[in-house]
Amino acid sequence: QPDIFTYNALISACEKGRQWQKALRFFDELQQRGLEPTVVTFNALASAYEKGGRWREALALLDDMDRRGLTPDVITFSALISACEKGGQWQKALDLFDKLQR
């Protein structure tokens, strides 16, 4: 049976291949199997969204993490800032940087 580490690796592989849709599919699948995503899982998905130019979806991950009691780390914020930058959302990128510094 695949565990959370397997799914994290799969999502990361999808990110490297610029396949954000597949990354999201694996994210959904792991939850259907009763596994809980970790900060590493969210970081991999955020990076996949960033590579796919999906800044809105990337930002929505912060709320999802908060609902699950997970604290974003510097890797999370870096991926989200990069996603905003690629989407031309410089103000949102600066807001994230401010949030990171708190």
Side-chain angles (χ1 to χ4, degrees), residues 67-87:
R67 279 192 301 276
R68 296 168 190 269
L70 295 173
T71 303
D73 61 16
V74 69
I75 296 168
T76 314
F77 280 101
S78 293
L80 298 179
I81 288 168
S82 185
C84 288
E85 177 266 323
K86 286 187 175 168

Side-chain angles (χ1 to χ4, degrees), residues 29-93:
E29 183 180 305
L30 75 89
Q31 293 173 89
Q32 290 167 3
R33 290 180 176 251
L35 297 172
E36 283 294 321
T38 65
V39 173
V40 173
T41 313
F42 278 98
N43 290 348
L45 187 56
S47 291
Y49 281 147
E50 178 259 326
K51 295 281 192 310
R54 312 300 294 192
W55 66 269
R56 285 182 182 89
E57 290 87 343
L59 286 182
L61 293 176
L62 281 179
D63 290 334
D64 197 358
M65 291 179 78
D66 189 52
R67 279 192 301 276
R68 296 168 190 269
L70 295 173
T71 303
D73 61 16
V74 69
I75 296 168
T76 314
F77 280 101
S78 293
L80 298 179
I81 288 168
S82 185
C84 288
E85 177 266 323
K86 286 187 175 168
Q89 301 297 314
W90 63 270
Q91 186 60 55
K92 291 188 185 317

Side-chain angles (χ1 to χ4, degrees), residues 16 20 25 28 46 57 59 76-77 87 89 94 97 101:
K16 306 253 184 309
W20 69 268
R25 206 170 312 132
D28 291 340
E57 290 87 343
L59 286 182
T76 314
F77 280 101
Q89 301 297 314
L94 293 177
F97 182 69
Q101 292 183 310

Side-chain angles (χ1 to χ4, degrees), residues 6-7 12 15 53-54 57:
T6 308
Y7 278 102
S12 184
E15 174 257 322
R54 312 300 294 192
E57 290 87 343

